[in-house]
Every structure is written in structure tokens, then in C-alpha cells.
Amino acid sequence: MTHRIGVLLSGRGSNFEALADSVSAGRIPNAEISVVISNKPSAPGLERAKSRGIPARAIPSKGLEREAYDRQVVAVLQEYKVNLICLAGYMRLLSPHFVAAFPQRILNIHPSLLPSFPGLESQKQALDYGVKFAGCTVHLVDENLDAGPIIRQAVVPVLDTDDEHTLSERILKEEHRIYTEAVNIILEGNYKIAGRRVIRSA
Ligand code: GAR
């Protein structure tokens, strides 16, 4: 069976490209990215998808109530028979309708060691707070902001010389690596969820 992945993004799309590279190289076996959707018609990630021959759809969210918007997105994901959804820089909360349509099959990548620094500008939040270790997290998505059981994390030391840009760059490299690992964990299915813990079977 081919796993059919849908990617949602709002911007640049480097995490999408990292996943697409992993699929092409066989690092995510038996899978395809079936569709890329953006709430921002100008998102560079859409062009990146098109240039790889992947169907790319802009579904503008402006002016729409959350659930009405999500119903449109869910319909397109169902049209493409998607069975795993990867949020890749998708800057919107999902409605209960969306989450219920794909139980335990929606992943998000976030540029901090959650539960620290959810929300926007997480790398700046980490620098401002003065933490010595930052990082990134892939987690299952629920209706809350940057919440849901954690699948994978990577730690990135904060250097005294770091600014927001240099720290973000090093975190991004780790994002690209752990997103593929997390997708494989979920697609292989060798895990159980106990409370908030995602525990892998031997
Ligand atoms: C990434 O750093 C991702 O972790 C972050 O947006 C960036 C998107 O970059 N996501 C969030 O902050 C979600 N809360 P990309 O478009 O190049 O993948």
C-alpha cells in the first residue's frame, strides 16, 4: 500500500522539500506526497511543489470562519485520499472538525523543545529567555496550539554568538532530519500512545 501524504504550509516550504526529498530517495518508503495545500496563495512552498510535479492548491483562508475553512481543506485532502497530514510551517490552528477527520494522523513540526516556547518566533523566545539548549519537536496535532503527544525532538545548543538567524538555521537543519524520522515512526505503526507518551515497540 502506498502511503498518501498531504502537506499543509503557509510559507517557504523547506520542511516540505525535506520530506519530498526523503520520499524521492526512498528514506520514507512506500509513500508519495499526494497534494500540497496552502492558506496563503503567495506561499513559495506552492511553487516548490509544482516544480516537483506535485499537485499544489491554494485555499485562501482570509475572511472565513475556522471550521468553514477547514471543511474545504478536509474535502481536498479526502479528494486526494490522503492518510497522513504533515503541517510544515502551517500557521493556523485546526478546528475539532479537522482533527476528528484524521485521528492521530496529523503531524506538526515546531522550532522549539515543546512545551517551551509555543506560538510565534520560538527561536527568538528561546534567545530572549536565555536558555542554553533550544531545538525542535514533531508532535501529533490536536485542537490546541503546539500541543499533542511528542513523537521526536532534537536538541540544539545555543551559542553565545547566536542571533535569531544563526540559531534558526541550525534548528532548521534538525527539523528537516527529525520530520522524516517522525513520519516513518507513524507510517510503520510500531508505537502506542500512553497518556501523552508515544512509545515505540521493540
Ligand atoms: C519552521 O521553522 C517550522 O518549524 C515553523 O515554521 C517554519 C517553516 O519553515 N513552524 C511553526 O512555527 C509552527 N508553529 P518552512 O516553511 O521552511 O518549512
Side-chain angles (χ1 to χ4, degrees), residues 3 21-22 27 36 41 46 50 55 58 64 80 88 103 105 109 118 188:
H3 302 291
D21 285 345
S22 289
R27 288 190 300 272
V36 173
L46 284 177
K50 282 183 201 156
L64 282 177
Y80 282 90
R105 298 297 281 188
I109 181 111
E188 285 163 12

Side-chain angles (χ1 to χ4, degrees), residues 9-17 45 48 87-92 108-112 118-123 136-137 139 145-146 168 171-172 175-176:
L9 52 79
S10 303
R12 181 175 58 181
S14 76
N15 275 289
F16 151 67
E17 293 231 85
R48 288 177 161 201
L87 309 186
Y90 185 64
M91 300 316 221
R92 287 179 60 84
N108 181 45
I109 181 111
H110 183 77
S112 77
L120 297 175
E121 298 188 330
S122 303
Q123 304 92 332
C136 48
T137 303
H139 63 92
L145 178 67
D146 300 322
S168 300
I171 293 174
L172 193 63
E175 292 186 38
H176 295 165

